[in-house]
Amino acid sequence: MSLLRMLRLRLRALFQRDAIERELSEELQFHIDMQTEENLRAGMPPEEARRQAVLRFGGVEGHKEASRKAQGLDLMGLRASWLDLKLGLRMLVKYPGLTLVGGLALTLAIGLGAAFFEFTEEMVNPQLPIKDGDRIVLVRNWDLAAARPERRSLHDFVTWREEIRTIEDLGVFQGVDQSVTTEDGYTEVLDAGRISASLIRTTGVAPLLGRPLLEEDEQPGAPPVVLIGYGVWQRFFGGDPGAIGQVLRVGSSRATVVGVMPEGYGFPINHSVWTPFRVNGLEHGPREGPPVLVFGKLRRGVSLEEARTELAALGARATADYPETHEQLRPRVVTFGKAIVDAEERLMVHTARFLFLILMIVMCVNVATLVFARTATRESEFAVRSALGASRRRIIGQLFLEALVLTLGAAALGLTAAWVGLRWGTDLFWRIQQTGMPFWWNHALSPATILYTLVLALAAAAMVGIVPALKVTGPRVQPNLSQMSVGSSRMRFGGIWTAIVVIQVALSVAFLPTAILEGRTALRNTERSTEFPADAFVTGRLLRELEAPPVELPEPERAAVFARSAELHEEVKRRVAAEPGVAAVTFANRVPAMNHPVETIHVQDAAAAVPPDTAEGPGARALAVDLDFFDVMSAPIVSGRAFQPSDVEAEGSVIVNETFVRSVMNGRNPVGHRIRYPKREDADAERWYEVVGVVQDTEMDAFGPGKHRAIYHPLKPGRDASLQMFVRVGPRAQAVGPRLRSTINAIDPSLRLGELRTVRELWTPAHQSMRFFAAAQGIVAAIALLLSMAGIHALMAFTVSQRKREIGIRAALGARPGRIFGAIFSRAFVQLGVGVLLGSGLAAVLMGDELTSEGPAMLLAIVATMLTVGLLACFLPARRALRVQPTEALKAGG
Amino acid sequence: MTVPPTDVLQGTLDLLILRTLSLQPMHGWGIAQRIQQLSQDVLQVNQGSLYPAVHRLEQKGLIASEWGVTENNRRAKYYRLTESGERQLAKELESWERFTGAVQLVLEPGTAS
């Protein structure tokens, strides 16, 4: 039977069971009536005819039940589940404390897990919104020796395009930051791409207006054309259909707009301007030329495996033909979706997902403790039920369904929160990254995430419902029944549950101080106003548009371009500094500590006789800065020397910041040590830089000084396609903008100035995210505290109800309330004490060097809070215990 | 003088129902009557236990049901053979013949086809 039909029948059985029953009765009645008529015809009197018919048919109810079973409609079972669900809902209302605390904890755990899953799914497993997106592949040379892709593959591309049979429409893509300017001077710096016409075709998306790029456009001497994205069309032309045929300055060339791509298209990542890639691979030798990406589409019906086999053969030939360059190169093919994150990042994502699972298990164990305490108080209910014939399975099923009601509710709430949070959070994330959102990013929850959440809810229900149920319905049900009348039970809050309460208290005490301190630091950083004059710095990107990057040019043209760049650089600095209202101007190749990749570094101790060969070192951010950068940022050199003009050409000196000295060098003076970047491409990976000085941590870091390790290189004008200009201005910052733009335009037509913002504006998204994480930490901390409290409360309430009789007897025998109180609650106090002690120790370790003057005070405050909260949690059960009337207790036991 | 009716063999009821329905769609009572008739009253279907069998076959998708009206204008549930029911009938008939043939061989060696 098909699953669908099964489901239909099941649903019908649940919601239309009256109809089914009616039909069954009618069918059997019809049979009996027919038999009666037959008997009448045989001459029996009416009464006898009917009696014989019924007799012959046999027990109607028995046959009905057999029929129901035959139809797979175990109505009793289904009805029971329905009842259990209703019971579960009633339980939620009856125990609002447990519902609130447990529900909140599970909502948080499931919601966080779902949000992280959904977010990473977009990276690990992107669904490209294009036809046959899963057939789009990336072909690249892999450098075995360096374990990284070799992207200078134009020479190989020519061979691949001609010979590969399993992949069609092979094309190249080269991403470039380019300024795009309209005829009337509106400029933006955009993620642009030089792309083979075949690639736009491969994606199977037709332009909204005009035509795509064509092979003719790639011919040398063809008129320059440009294809633009929807957003560019809106911003540059206000969505005017007359944009087709208009001219845009793209980089250094004037190109005619031939087409507009539909909204949401940004192949390959978030690109919005495409110009034809004029490829002549034979111009470049093997392993030469610009770095490019080679894309294609698996031919229909061809598997990735077949493509791999074909490429391996081509690779073997290339290795034989060009042993000097291709000895270590192997062509590889991966689907585009898999190429976005590499294996290492994929592993990180899966590890992080696993951590979220652990978080959920921790939460579930906590909630299970609470549920166990509640279940234990219902012990006699289960004893009676099993005495009346309920099977163990039935009772476990009931408790599971009760838990499922809770976890499904939490999952629904968590999923909704994740959805809302992600809509807001991903936008913010991509703004901090300062790159656009990838075009395939989809704000809707993916079916995989919803399924994942459902599985989480089921697993949570199993942990929360079944584990306590197994304990309660163990083989001891029979003794429980006999003990019931005596008023005490054999249920015990066993060692595991005690340990859970202790661990919970310890974790709360250990993590809360650090969480609170960090949250407060984050909040303070967002309000920093005095340390760094963030409003007094105006910043924007400055580009020099060139026909080709100077590194690709042959000498002596290259030297000439660099010389001209250096000249222009000096002139820009002179002219901008001369503007009224401008106090200083300096450049860096990036914004410090913002959208900055962290690079792996390798530090070599110059003093050591044999250099220790640690291939994998810590990470740091590399930044190229003007000679006067530190002066303008008011960051003094604290050791060694500053950059000198001679460092610019030599390119061998670097300056590190104090955070670097503290965390990488363990405080030793780094001057004289050498650093390299082992993960950089090719020869760059082997290049060593000598540390010549140490600079104070600059304040121009959205996350506060002292958070990032930085390595500063001397800036060489012309090396980077664009630079970040920092202008320190007087009080009226905004007014400077237009003047700066016209000044720079007047210096040289190849210069373009991007959007200008103050450093504070630059900080905004980072600060928003810091506030968000501070708030998130606060919520997690509050829930941890709440869970500890609920755990202690549950334990106490349980103990009191268990020892009611003992309390009564002791009171009757004249024990003082203080003694009784001490005897009953000593266990809770011990748990609380042990938890607090363990937690304090852990907190001291965690805070480590951050154990400043604030640390111990904070820890003391948390310990005090924890103790107060723990005692409060004991209070209600304690009051109940002391109110036990001896006579009542003894009567109950009678 | 009549031969006492024989209870339908366990497991052959399904085959008989399928076979009966292969002639024409019919209601439960009709199925019981037809089996009795065709076997010249030798086979007696336990009337009550017919229904669980019919419902099981419906569940397996071998037969389908719909409500109809009898000659006497009474509402009755009619069953008919589905395509997979026809295939199943052919299969069961074949194995039935093999079975009876084998039994025949054992009982009267030498007379088998």
Side-chain angles (χ1 to χ4, degrees):
Chain A
M1 180 173 48
S2 74
L3 202 65
L4 205 67
R5 213 172 123 216
M6 174 88 156
L7 194 69
R8 215 178 53 223
L9 275 170
R10 287 257 155 188
L11 285 177
R12 189 156 181 252
L14 198 57
F15 296 108
Q16 296 188 304
R17 54 172 189 258
D18 293 345
I20 292 179
E21 284 290 297
R22 245 192 345 263
E23 284 185 9
L24 190 56
S25 297
E26 191 178 346
E27 190 176 14
L28 301 192
Q29 189 59 50
F30 170 77
H31 187 111
I32 293 171
D33 288 351
M34 292 303 281
Q35 188 64 44
T36 312
E37 277 171 32
E38 172 96 0
N39 291 352
L40 279 174
R41 273 199 294 278
M44 286 189 200
E47 277 297 304
E48 186 60 15
R50 178 139 206 100
R51 206 177 74 84
Q52 286 298 333
V54 172
L55 269 181
R56 179 142 184 229
F57 192 79
V60 175
E61 280 311 312
H63 292 312
K64 271 190 184 174
E65 196 53 48
S67 276
R68 289 184 198 119
K69 283 238 165 77
Q71 284 174 298
L73 309 178
D74 187 356
L75 291 176
M76 290 316 289
L78 273 173
R79 246 182 258 177
S81 308
W82 188 238
L83 201 69
D84 286 345
L85 278 179
K86 282 199 276 194
L87 198 66
L89 276 174
R90 217 170 294 153
M91 283 310 227
L92 291 187
V93 179
K94 198 177 161 197
Y95 294 89
L98 176 59
T99 307
L100 201 69
V101 175
L104 217 57
L106 290 173
T107 300
L108 184 82
I110 295 178
L112 280 177
F116 187 76
F117 186 88
E118 169 71 29
F119 185 81
T120 48
E121 195 68 1
E122 294 280 356
M123 303 290 273
V124 175
N125 208 3
Q127 302 295 316
L128 304 184
I130 47 185
K131 200 168 143 269
D132 294 325
D134 51 347
R135 274 168 53 208
I136 295 189
V137 291
L138 181 67
V139 182
R140 60 187 173 191
N141 269 322
W142 190 265
D143 184 339
L144 294 176
R148 64 166 168 248
E150 167 57 79
R151 287 166 51 188
R152 292 169 300 175
S153 46
L154 271 180
H155 184 88
D156 299 81
F157 168 69
V158 177
T159 320
W160 292 343
R161 188 173 52 182
E162 274 165 21
E163 305 213 357
I164 295 184
R165 294 281 151 265
T166 50
I167 303 169
E168 55 192 11
D169 286 345
L170 218 57
V172 287
F173 173 85
Q174 181 189 15
V176 272
D177 269 1
Q178 250 172 345
S179 69
V180 179
T181 311
T182 57
E183 293 283 51
D184 44 11
Y186 178 74
T187 303
E188 277 185 38
V189 179
L190 295 167
D191 287 317
R194 301 192 184 114
I195 192 165
S196 301
S198 66
L199 277 189
I200 299 275
R201 192 169 60 230
T202 297
T203 59
V205 177
L208 188 68
L209 286 177
R211 65 167 177 88
L213 298 178
L214 301 172
E215 263 78 2
E216 294 95 274
D217 300 327
E218 296 174 0
Q219 300 309 314
V225 294
V226 58
L227 184 65
I228 59 175
Y230 186 86
V232 172
W233 180 49
Q234 290 296 323
R235 293 196 304 275
F236 282 68
F237 299 105
D240 178 10
I244 305 296
Q246 300 276 332
V247 172
L248 281 178
R249 267 202 319 205
V250 181
S252 56
S253 72
R254 290 163 53 87
T256 309
V257 176
V258 292
V260 176
M261 293 306 282
E263 198 170 3
Y265 183 85
F267 186 82
I269 310 268
N270 49 21
H271 296 84
S272 50
V273 172
W274 300 268
T275 51
F277 192 103
R278 290 180 181 159
V279 57
N280 185 354
L282 298 179
E283 269 178 12
H284 302 284
R287 228 172 164 171
E288 279 177 12
V292 294
L293 296 172
V294 178
F295 290 101
K297 196 174 202 173
L298 276 185
R299 217 171 272 282
R300 197 171 286 284
V302 167
S303 73
L304 201 58
E305 226 21 78
E306 290 169 73
R308 284 204 179 112
T309 315
E310 187 180 16
L311 268 174
L314 284 178
R317 217 180 67 200
T319 309
D321 290 352
Y322 311 101
E324 275 168 33
T325 50
H326 282 57
E327 177 74 50
Q328 296 292 330
L329 289 190
R330 297 289 177 275
R332 288 190 178 172
V333 55
V334 280
T335 58
F336 180 43
K338 290 270 185 284
I340 290 159
V341 292
D342 60 31
E344 212 171 296
E345 290 165 322
R346 204 169 283 270
L347 183 71
M348 265 168 58
V349 163
H350 288 299
T351 316
R353 283 180 179 178
F354 182 71
L355 290 180
F356 276 103
L357 269 185
I358 300 275
L359 171 75
M360 200 195 74
I361 291 172
V362 169
M363 291 289 189
C364 283
V365 166
N366 272 294
V367 178
T369 322
L370 305 183
V371 171
F372 177 67
R374 181 184 76 182
T375 311
T377 59
R378 291 164 65 193
E379 204 180 0
S380 37
E381 172 194 335
F382 300 122
V384 171
R385 287 199 52 189
S386 51
L388 291 178
S391 63
R392 187 174 183 204
R393 211 179 114 204
R394 177 81 183 73
I395 292 179
I396 293 175
Q398 177 197 337
L399 286 171
F400 172 72
L401 274 174
E402 279 180 29
L404 192 63
V405 171
L406 181 69
T407 59
L408 276 182
L413 214 60
L415 203 58
T416 314
W419 180 59
V420 174
L422 278 176
R423 286 187 90 83
W424 179 80
T426 44
D427 282 339
L428 187 62
F429 176 80
W430 289 111
R431 253 188 298 145
I432 294 172
Q433 297 296 308
Q434 298 195 337
T435 62
M437 188 179 286
F439 79 105
W440 64 81
W441 210 275
N442 185 352
H443 276 310
L445 292 174
S446 71
T449 306
I450 293 172
L451 193 70
Y452 177 77
T453 313
L454 277 178
V455 171
L456 284 189
L458 277 173
M463 276 188 275
V464 168
I466 293 182
V467 176
L470 285 177
K471 285 212 86 160
V472 168
T473 59
R476 299 167 307 176
V477 168
Q478 207 48 45
N480 280 345
L481 193 60
S482 53
Q483 294 252 337
M484 218 173 72
S485 57
V486 190
S488 71
S489 87
R490 291 184 174 184
M491 291 284 306
R492 287 286 172 266
F493 232 104
I496 297 172
W497 309 102
T498 310
I500 288 169
V501 172
V502 171
I503 291 170
Q504 186 63 52
V505 172
L507 287 183
S508 302
V509 171
F511 287 103
L512 276 174
T514 2
I516 293 175
L517 282 179
E518 271 183 16
R520 216 176 48 183
T521 315
L523 286 183
R524 257 189 215 157
N525 275 332
T526 66
E527 283 150 13
R528 278 185 312 141
S529 52
T530 48
E531 290 100 332
F532 187 80
D535 294 312
F537 274 96
V538 176
T539 180
R541 284 202 88 70
L542 183 69
L543 269 92
R544 183 171 177 226
E545 291 298 354
L546 295 169
E547 292 288 346
V551 280
E552 287 175 20
L553 294 175
E555 293 288 1
E557 273 176 64
R558 176 151 79 174
V561 171
F562 272 122
R564 177 65 184 144
S565 288
E567 255 175 58
L568 284 174
H569 189 76
E570 284 313 308
E571 176 145 14
V572 166
K573 286 185 77 166
R574 203 165 41 77
R575 297 271 287 269
V576 170
E579 284 290 320
V582 171
V585 57
T586 190
F587 284 89
N589 65 342
R590 294 190 174 103
V591 183
M594 301 287 285
N595 66 330
H596 234 201
V598 175
E599 293 186 78
T600 306
I601 55 164
H602 175 188
V603 183
Q604 196 182 52
D605 193 335
V610 181
D613 196 31
T614 49
E616 293 274 319
R621 289 174 155 85
L623 191 70
V625 296
D626 250 345
L627 298 186
D628 57 0
F629 182 82
F630 300 126
D631 295 338
V632 176
M633 294 294 155
S634 317
I637 299 289
V638 293
S639 169
R641 64 170 176 85
F643 286 133
Q644 299 159 350
S646 60
D647 292 328
V648 176
E649 274 312 313
E651 296 187 67
S653 314
V654 294
I655 290 176
V656 296
N657 68 355
E658 289 176 310
T659 306
F660 184 96
V661 175
R662 202 169 53 242
S663 63
V664 178
M665 306 300 298
N666 292 323
R668 282 178 302 150
N669 190 345
V671 173
H673 286 47
R674 298 200 302 161
I675 296 173
R676 70 179 181 110
Y677 302 94
K679 290 279 174 80
R680 284 194 177 172
E681 295 202 348
D682 309 303
D684 289 346
E686 298 306 322
R687 182 165 192 159
W688 290 94
Y689 299 91
E690 188 186 339
V691 179
V692 297
V694 177
V695 68
Q696 203 176 59
D697 289 333
T698 70
E699 299 276 351
M700 202 188 53
D701 182 341
F703 298 91
K707 291 279 181 226
H708 295 118
R709 297 190 273 264
I711 302 173
Y712 298 96
H713 293 252
L715 182 139
K716 183 172 182 182
R719 174 170 283 281
D720 294 278
S722 66
L723 293 176
Q724 190 78 22
M725 181 171 75
F726 295 95
V727 181
R728 184 166 185 168
V729 294
R732 288 183 306 122
Q734 291 305 326
V736 182
R739 276 208 321 276
L740 283 182
R741 200 176 294 283
S742 59
T743 305
I744 285 171
N745 285 343
I747 294 171
D748 190 280
S750 70
L751 293 176
R752 313 257 191 283
L753 182 60
E755 196 191 348
L756 284 173
R757 284 185 291 180
T758 65
V759 168
R760 181 168 303 283
E761 284 167 331
L762 221 56
W763 281 352
T764 305
H767 286 175
Q768 277 175 337
S769 81
M770 276 194 283
R771 279 194 211 103
F772 172 75
F773 281 110
Q777 264 184 340
I779 291 172
V780 174
I783 285 186
L785 199 66
L786 211 61
L787 275 174
S788 318
M789 192 169 78
I792 293 171
H793 175 265
L795 170 77
M796 281 298 93
F798 178 77
T799 313
V800 168
S801 69
Q802 293 263 294
R803 298 173 69 177
K804 210 168 175 177
R805 188 153 180 261
E806 177 196 334
I807 297 170
I809 294 174
R810 291 175 78 158
L813 292 177
R816 284 198 315 277
R819 285 292 297 272
I820 300 177
F821 193 84
I824 302 287
F825 293 101
S826 57
R827 202 163 134 207
F829 294 152
V830 169
Q831 287 181 0
L832 208 54
V834 172
V836 165
L837 274 179
L838 278 178
S840 307
L842 201 58
V845 175
L846 270 181
M847 283 196 267
D849 52 336
E850 281 176 63
L851 196 67
T852 49
S853 55
E854 273 185 330
M858 183 61 70
L859 184 58
L860 273 182
I862 294 292
V863 167
T865 313
M866 199 69 222
L867 287 174
T868 317
V869 163
L871 290 179
L872 271 180
C874 290
F875 178 71
L876 280 180
R879 210 176 51 172
R880 212 181 307 151
L882 292 179
R883 278 188 184 165
V884 172
Q885 293 297 318
T887 42
E888 219 176 274
L890 291 175
K891 226 191 302 173
Chain B
M1 171 64 210
T2 54
V3 184
T6 316
D7 265 356
V8 173
L9 262 174
Q10 197 87 49
T12 53
L13 184 57
D14 285 5
L15 176 61
L16 291 179
I17 293 172
L18 290 179
R19 174 77 189 131
T20 314
L21 286 179
S22 75
L23 304 175
Q24 70 184 96
M26 217 172 285
H27 42 67
W29 192 72
I31 297 172
Q33 290 305 102
R34 183 57 67 89
I35 291 176
Q36 209 167 323
Q37 230 173 46
L38 288 180
S39 68
Q40 293 165 355
D41 285 343
V42 173
L43 294 178
Q44 290 270 1
V45 178
N46 178 340
Q47 298 197 346
S49 63
L50 174 75
Y51 285 91
V54 165
H55 290 143
R56 194 167 50 242
L57 290 175
E58 187 184 7
Q59 190 67 22
K60 284 182 187 160
L62 299 181
I63 60 177
S65 70
E66 60 193 343
W67 286 89
V69 180
T70 67
E71 303 134 25
N72 307 336
N73 252 351
R74 279 208 54 169
R75 240 165 76 81
K77 200 174 184 182
Y78 279 84
Y79 295 92
R80 65 178 167 76
L81 212 59
T82 62
E83 272 179 37
S84 71
E86 277 170 32
R87 281 196 300 274
Q88 182 68 17
L89 175 62
K91 242 192 278 174
E92 293 208 2
L93 275 178
E94 192 197 306
S95 74
W96 173 257
E97 272 157 22
R98 251 206 336 267
F99 173 69
T100 48
V103 173
Q104 191 87 14
L105 270 177
V106 175
L107 297 182
E108 297 170 36
T111 64
S113 54

